[in-house]
Amino acid sequence: MKIENQDYALGSANAVDYLMVNEFSGGIVGPSQRMLGPLKNGGTLKTGTPPGCWGPMITPAFQGGHEVTLPVSIEGAEVGDAVALKIKKMKVTSIATSSGAMSFVEGRYHGDPFVAKYCSACGTEQPASYVEGIGEDAIRCKNCDAEVSAFEFSHGYVIVLDEENKVSLTVNQEIANKLAGNANELAAQHSILSLARADMPGVAAHKLFGKLNRLD
């Protein structure tokens, strides 16, 4: 039996062979989250995983550094048990991504910028936000329109992915700007491509024998 996002209630839900999960936690993991399932021991779980790390980091409403699925109960598993997962298939759906060295923006967080962001202009905690234009100042508070990201790049890059040829390449500023202008919002997070940071163009890598190797 195939089920999508089945809520788990102790003793009331029948375990399923296949569970598709497309709901996420907003960066918070813990007992307050809804539990999905149960999934049978040996069953199949399918999900799409939004980009982690930088997307949630520049989205003030997130209270964590990664966006993860809601937890799933496994039939027969008890507290303290380990659950072994076997990945049957994985597909990269992005054509480009961005990363780099981070720095904090003082005055836009309390203590830990990953979990306690706020708008220094209007004082809103974990404010809703939107993207206006591209670049470091693109993330704006919906309440007052001020710049609101608690993170910025001290050094960064945009890399495009060629699935057919198994090659990836960092791009120059012109291409980074074009990608930023067409960046899609995934789930509740902003796309890190919107910052359009391109400090190291022309670095290539390719996938060979299951490992990522740099092309010299």
Side-chain angles (χ1 to χ4, degrees):
M1 179 169 57
K2 295 185 177 182
I3 297 291
E4 183 171 329
N5 292 333
Q6 172 178 282
D7 284 325
Y8 171 72
L10 186 62
S12 66
N14 294 322
V16 296
D17 298 301
Y18 178 99
L19 183 64
M20 180 179 290
V21 178
N22 55 23
E23 292 186 62
F24 304 92
S25 71
I28 299 174
V29 178
S32 64
Q33 292 291 341
R34 287 169 45 224
M35 180 78 77
L36 304 180
L39 180 66
K40 286 184 178 180
N41 184 14
T44 299
L45 173 68
K46 181 178 181 180
T47 188
T49 55
C53 197
W54 273 102
M57 285 162 59
I58 64 169
T59 306
F62 269 82
Q63 293 180 281
H66 291 84
E67 186 169 18
V68 297
T69 66
L70 291 179
V72 175
S73 171
I74 305 299
E75 184 182 37
E78 299 179 354
V79 175
D81 287 349
V83 176
L85 301 178
K86 180 180 180 180
I87 298 176
K88 295 182 178 179
K89 185 178 180 181
M90 183 182 298
K91 181 179 180 180
V92 177
T93 57
S94 301
I95 63 169
T97 189
S98 179
S99 191
M102 69 180 182
S103 59
F104 306 142
V105 181
E106 296 297 332
R108 296 182 186 171
Y109 61 92
H110 301 294
D112 186 342
F114 287 93
V115 299
K117 308 173 184 75
Y118 76 99
C119 178
S120 58
C122 67
T124 304
E125 306 286 339
Q126 282 91 43
S129 54
Y130 65 96
V131 177
E132 181 178 75
I134 64 174
E136 298 281 359
D137 61 351
I139 312 302
R140 300 280 174 163
C141 174
K142 273 192 175 180
N143 188 54
C144 70
D145 301 318
E147 295 177 38
V148 74
S149 177
F151 293 88
E152 61 186 9
F153 283 125
S154 56
H155 187 278
Y157 61 88
V158 172
I159 189 166
V160 294
L161 314 170
D162 184 339
E163 174 64 22
E164 181 178 353
N165 296 299
K166 308 300 182 186
V167 173
S168 56
L169 181 71
T170 58
V171 300
N172 61 23
Q173 192 64 61
E174 180 182 1
I175 297 175
N177 290 348
K178 289 181 179 179
L179 290 168
N182 293 289
N184 293 320
E185 300 285 300
L186 294 173
Q189 63 174 264
H190 300 314
S191 172
I192 189 57
L193 290 172
S194 298
L195 271 60
R197 192 64 181 260
D199 295 323
M200 47 182 289
V203 178
H206 70 126
K207 189 176 181 182
L208 181 64
F209 304 123
K211 296 182 179 180
L212 194 64
N213 298 273
R214 181 170 175 172
L215 288 177
D216 295 322

